[in-house]
């Protein structure tokens, strides 16, 4: 038991040296190098393109137009920091994703719900927000730290055999719902706020974000309770967006006055 104190001190030192700050000012744990995660993102993006057919033509130009407008509103250093790419995938699932390195995908199923360029900008801004906030790094780091903590607890408690495995399973479930999923919901809410700012800075009407989630709610089926989900409920998302809407509308008006008036033609 004498080694527990040095281990705790070591873990604290590791945490302190791996701290970062998100665009909203939240403290983060980031244990993995961005270069390593960006490489993983590129590999995953390539695999995704092999697994699902991509859509080109007017549909891709439309999605690319919205993405270009949002990325173009970023500070130059953030534009250069990622290899910003976006693809449209043929899939009925109303989904989109972002990977480390700036690789993004939008499914055709989502385009049936995001009815306007402003609604689509809500989604793409959200995905860019995930990348800027380094959420993938934080998720990997949190999972690594959680698994390490459970392993240490198992060793200290001396839990062996079927009873010990059952106890560790319960602790793993507790860790999942008590640590990993709340972090993921926090990421989603944070990406909503960052995305709201980004779309407004690019000249897209941020009020369309609420309409998008109303469309999502109308199209959605049964969902797990919010506390068991990796995403906030639709009502929670809309409330969070509304809470930040005054600032977003002011940003939007400034962007329009500065000449940012995107006109992405929906096919």
């Amino acid at each position: 038991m004498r080694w527990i104190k040095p281990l705790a001190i070591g873990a604290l030192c590791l945490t302190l040296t791996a701290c970062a700050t998100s665009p909203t000012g939240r403290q983060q744990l980031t244990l993995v190098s961005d270069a390593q995660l960006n490489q993983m993102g590129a590999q995953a993006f390539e695999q995704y393109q092999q697994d699902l057919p991509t859509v080109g033509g007017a549909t891709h130009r439309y999605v690319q137009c919205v993405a270009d407008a949002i990325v173009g509103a970023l500070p130059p250093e953030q534009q250069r920091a990622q290899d910003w790419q976006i693809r449209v995938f043929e899939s009925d699932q109303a989904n989109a994703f972002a990977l480390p390195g700036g690789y993004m995908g939008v499914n055709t199923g989502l385009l049936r719900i995001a009815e306007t360029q402003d609604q689509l900008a809500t989604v793409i801004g959200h995905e860019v927000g995930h990348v800027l906030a380094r959420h993938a790094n934080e998720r990997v780091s949190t999972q690594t730290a959680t698994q390490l903590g459970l392993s240490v607890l198992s060793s200290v408690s001396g839990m062996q055999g079927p009873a010990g495995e059952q106890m560790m399973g319960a602790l793993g479930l507790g860790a999942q719902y008590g640590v990993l999923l709340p972090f993921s919901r926090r990421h989603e809410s944070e990406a909503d706020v960052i995305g709201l700012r980004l779309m407004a800075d690019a000249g897209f009407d941020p009020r369309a974000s609420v309409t998008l989630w109303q469309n999502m709610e109308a199209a959605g089926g049964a969902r797990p309770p919010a506390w068991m989900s990796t995403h906030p409920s639709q009502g929670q998302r809309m409330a969070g967006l509304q809470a930040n809407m005054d600032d977003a509308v002011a940003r939007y008006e400034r962007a329009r006055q500065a000449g940012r008036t995107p006109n992405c033609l929906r096919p």
Side-chain angles (χ1 to χ4, degrees):
M1 300 294 286
R2 288 178 296 179
W3 52 270
I4 295 179
K5 183 176 180 181
L7 178 64
I9 294 173
L12 177 61
C13 291
L14 177 63
T15 300
L16 292 175
T17 58
C19 278
T21 304
S22 77
T24 64
R26 182 176 57 81
Q27 291 297 303
Q28 300 173 288
L29 177 67
T30 52
L31 302 174
V32 186
S33 74
D34 287 334
Q36 183 179 2
L37 278 177
N38 290 352
Q39 182 179 9
M40 293 168 60
Q43 293 172 346
F45 194 56
E46 180 64 29
Q47 183 63 51
Y48 207 89
Q49 292 178 82
Q50 293 177 16
D51 292 342
L52 278 179
T54 56
V55 178
T59 299
H60 179 263
R61 288 194 296 271
Y62 168 61
V63 174
Q64 186 73 60
C65 176
V66 175
D68 287 346
I70 289 175
V71 171
L74 297 175
E77 63 275 12
Q78 290 182 339
Q79 293 184 37
R80 294 190 298 266
Q82 311 288 339
D83 183 17
W84 298 105
Q85 296 185 39
I86 192 163
R87 299 286 185 273
V88 181
F89 294 95
E90 187 65 53
S91 173
D92 289 335
Q93 291 186 335
N95 198 15
F97 67 85
L99 297 168
Y103 307 101
M104 296 175 288
V106 171
N107 289 351
T108 52
L110 181 66
L111 296 178
R112 290 191 284 272
I113 293 175
E115 298 171 338
T116 67
Q117 65 167 10
D118 299 302
Q119 291 177 27
L120 179 58
T122 301
V123 178
I124 295 178
H126 173 95
E127 298 304 334
V128 172
H130 276 309
V131 176
L132 295 182
R134 304 171 72 200
H135 285 160
N137 196 325
E138 192 176 2
R139 284 173 177 167
V140 171
S141 301
T142 300
Q143 186 171 11
T144 300
T146 301
Q147 302 244 354
L148 175 62
L150 292 178
S151 298
V152 170
L153 181 60
S154 177
S155 299
V156 172
S157 303
M159 293 185 292
Q160 304 294 334
E165 291 176 4
Q166 183 177 4
M167 179 62 72
M168 287 306 295
L171 287 172
L173 182 64
Q176 182 184 16
Y177 291 141
V179 178
L180 299 184
L181 292 185
F183 263 101
S184 187
R185 290 198 300 272
R186 182 182 297 176
H187 291 163
E188 294 297 329
S189 296
E190 187 171 50
D192 280 347
V193 173
I194 297 169
L196 194 67
R197 297 172 183 171
L198 291 177
M199 68 180 293
D201 289 343
F204 295 104
D205 190 342
R207 288 164 291 205
S209 61
V210 176
T211 306
L212 171 76
W213 286 108
Q214 289 171 341
N215 294 350
M216 285 281 198
E217 190 170 44
R223 296 183 183 86
W227 64 272
M228 286 184 63
S229 172
T230 57
H231 291 62
S233 70
Q234 317 293 34
Q236 289 171 334
R237 300 193 92 138
M238 286 187 278
L241 291 167
Q242 291 285 19
N244 291 274
M245 193 59 68
D246 288 346
D247 173 68
V249 170
R251 286 172 174 264
Y252 167 66
E253 292 173 349
R254 289 195 296 269
R256 303 290 283 192
Q257 291 169 3
R260 293 198 180 106
T261 56
N263 183 27
C264 301
L265 300 179
R266 182 184 175 92

